Amino acid sequence: MMRALFASLVLCVSLAIGTTAGLAQQSWVQVESHPSLRTAQERARSYGVAFNDVSGFLLPGGWYTLALGPYPDPATARARLRELRAQGVIPRDSYITDGTGYRDQFWPIGAAIGTATPAAPEVTPTPAPDTAVAPEVSLPEPEDLDETPREARASERLLDREGREELQVALQWFGFYTAAIDGSFGRGTRASMARWQTANAYDPTGILTTKQRADLLGQYQAALDALGLGTVDEDKAGIKITMPTGLVEFEGYDYPFVRYAEKDGSGVQVLLISQAGDGATLGGLYEIMQTLEIVPLEGQRVKRADSFTLRGKSDTLESYTYAKLDRGYVKGFTLVYPPARAADMARVIEIMQDSFEMTEGSLVATDSDEATQSVDLLSGLELRKPKQSRSGFYVDGRGAVVTVAEAVGSCERITLDGAYDAEVAATADGLALLRPKDALVPLGFARFAPNLGRLRSPVAVSGYSYEGALTAPTLTFGTLEDLQNLSGDARFKRLDLLALSGDVGGPVLDEMGAVSGMLTPLETGGRALPEGTAFALKSSEITGFLSQNGVAPVTARGGVELGAEALLAQGTEITVLVSCW
């Protein structure tokens, strides 16, 4: 009897050793672990819908793990891991294991470890006389405990570089991590992990447990899903880019733009920019984009030889534009969004910038005439318009400009000729002195007439009569009628001249091209005045204002009478469009 019992025990031990050895030769794809048996069973049931090789095991630390397999060798398991990761159906931190630490199997219910390998025949040892068979003991469900920092470090070491980088990307998305994505868990990454843990009511150890990693990546995936990020391969424009396709939808082509309008009231828009061109094309795009409503005035502008970026910000919208010149093409994108989405869009901009790829080809204009290109470029887009535009004129070689004070009242931004930012240096008695914010050298500046002029002598006003609709000033001819205004104010003189509102602030020129005054707003006092009535502030008033504010006015030294063409050229050199935004 004792010999039979001994033989049975030897057989059991041999079978156990053989099973363990067979298991160690297999490989598994471990997908996730949970401290709760109930949770692990629910997750196993979910995985079972998609996979027929889901197994669940108890780990030494009391956790329950889910694995796919077994596979006959590590290479097969690794190929399966890459395939499932690429499909996005398993967590990115899944990894390969030989199952050495796997204990009792809880899923599938009733299964044995390594079901992919033929199971050894079941052998029940014959109990010794008077020896009771121990009752079957069910595994108790452990408490819902997380890993200790030591256990977390151990599980963290199983992550590959891609898995570590993905955690940094997720931390960066939520603003906890700002350094390079390098897969190295140094001091900066640990600090960002601690900040994320604090924000999510975890103990800030700076070491993410398996559960916390899954939580972080789940939050990140949910954020990406909400934005609907997807890759757009726009063959017609020659652009490949990842963008928030869940928030925008294709609207159409308007050379050189591919337009994506907001979707379901998201408030987000995207323009893909595509055209053949050179440095001049890039420079023209840089200037024209800033005239659009979708590029607010406030924000950083950066222009380089082969690229530029424009950031725009207002109370109602923000935008980011990027364009570059490469291999004879100018391509880029604009992202427009409401301020409430600024945090998410900051990450979207990074993704769009990193994924932006220029492929062969570009959009083609229906009319290749360069003279119409600026019109084509703005097709379907709303131009930003100033509140008002008036005329002014340069008074020194450094770009100082004098105009009427009403032209620059309550302006968020002041521009000269629509291209140069300026600021108010001084105002007094209806006059305003402007200085450009950046260095500016005008083609010419005013020389002031030394005398008042003769009554009935010819005069001309140089001004932007149509407030910038024309790209150059016009010249309006008239005569000097009186050396005071209708109220007897000797600071002004009265002209017989058909002026428009855009001419106000422009220089009044005498026959030699000297500045004898400035056209002022027409004040009627509620009366209907005869057609052609206009008023100008005398040059002596202007030069006194300039002298008081650091500008040395230059006096004209005689000269000869100029013809209409020469007078127009003189006025064009010194006259500037002053726009209030």
Side-chain angles (χ1 to χ4, degrees), residues 74 104 207 272 363 390 462 483 523:
D104 300 270
I207 308 166
L272 300 183
L363 296 182
R390 296 292 184 263
S462 178
L483 297 180
E523 298 179 4

Side-chain angles (χ1 to χ4, degrees), residues 14 24 78 80 89 135 189 207 274 354 417 422 426 473:
S14 299
R78 194 171 294 109
R80 181 65 168 159
V89 294
T189 304
I207 308 166
S274 173
D354 292 342
D417 285 338

Side-chain angles (χ1 to χ4, degrees), residues 268-325:
V268 178
Q269 304 172 55
V270 171
L271 294 179
L272 300 183
I273 304 166
S274 173
Q275 63 179 148
D278 53 18
T281 308
L282 182 72
L285 179 68
Y286 175 77
E287 297 295 341
I288 291 176
M289 290 299 296
Q290 295 181 73
T291 69
L292 302 181
E293 284 288 353
I294 59 173
V295 183
L297 295 172
E298 181 183 345
Q300 185 183 42
R301 272 73 166 149
V302 178
K303 188 176 186 302
R304 298 184 174 88
D306 61 350
S307 67
F308 70 79
T309 57
L310 301 171
R311 290 184 181 272
K313 183 177 182 180
S314 71
D315 293 338
T316 56
L317 66 85
E318 297 185 21
S319 70
Y320 176 87
T321 300
Y322 168 77
K324 67 179 294 187
L325 170 65

Side-chain angles (χ1 to χ4, degrees), residues 340-387:
R341 288 186 175 270
D344 283 344
M345 292 301 107
R347 277 73 176 186
V348 171
I349 288 170
E350 293 176 4
I351 292 172
M352 293 180 71
Q353 190 90 52
D354 292 342
S355 65
F356 180 74
E357 180 181 344
M358 295 173 63
T359 57
E360 196 62 31
S362 69
L363 296 182
V364 178
T366 55
D367 184 348
S368 61
D369 187 306
E370 291 188 5
T372 66
Q373 181 162 328
S374 62
V375 177
D376 293 338
L377 183 62
L378 304 176
S379 177
L381 296 175
E382 184 179 357
L383 287 171
R384 185 192 305 108
K385 297 180 180 179
K387 292 195 301 184

Side-chain angles (χ1 to χ4, degrees), residues 441-567:
V441 179
L443 293 174
F445 57 89
R447 265 70 174 175
F448 290 93
N451 49 56
L452 295 176
R454 305 182 319 275
L455 292 179
R456 305 298 300 168
S457 62
V459 295
V461 171
S462 178
Y464 285 84
S465 307
Y466 302 98
E467 302 188 32
L470 299 178
T471 57
T474 58
L475 209 59
T476 305
F477 293 92
T479 57
L480 173 60
E481 293 296 315
D482 201 345
L483 297 180
Q484 60 185 10
N485 65 12
L486 295 174
S487 302
D489 192 336
R491 295 177 302 158
F492 300 88
K493 48 188 175 183
R494 179 166 59 88
L495 310 176
D496 181 5
L497 183 141
L498 289 172
L500 299 177
S501 59
D503 293 313
V504 170
V508 178
L509 306 176
D510 64 17
E511 299 167 278
M512 280 74 72
V515 176
S516 64
M518 172 197 291
L519 192 71
T520 58
L522 183 63
E523 298 179 4
T524 65
R527 298 176 178 84
L529 300 179
E531 186 179 46
T533 302
F535 301 100
L537 188 67
K538 293 177 180 177
S539 59
S540 57
E541 301 293 326
I542 302 170
T543 55
F545 168 74
L546 296 176
S547 297
Q548 292 172 7
N549 291 284
V551 176
V554 176
T555 302
R557 296 184 178 181
V560 297
E561 292 186 9
L562 302 178
E565 187 174 337
L567 204 59

Side-chain angles (χ1 to χ4, degrees), residues 164-202:
R164 295 193 300 272
E165 288 179 349
E166 187 173 27
L167 289 173
Q168 289 179 324
V169 169
L171 289 166
Q172 186 183 69
W173 178 271
F174 293 112
F176 296 101
Y177 181 69
T178 57
I181 305 299
D182 56 9
S184 175
F185 288 177
R187 182 179 302 175
T189 304
R190 293 296 180 197
S192 70
M193 289 177 175
R195 289 191 292 271
W196 179 86
Q197 288 171 320
T198 299
N200 288 270
Y202 290 119

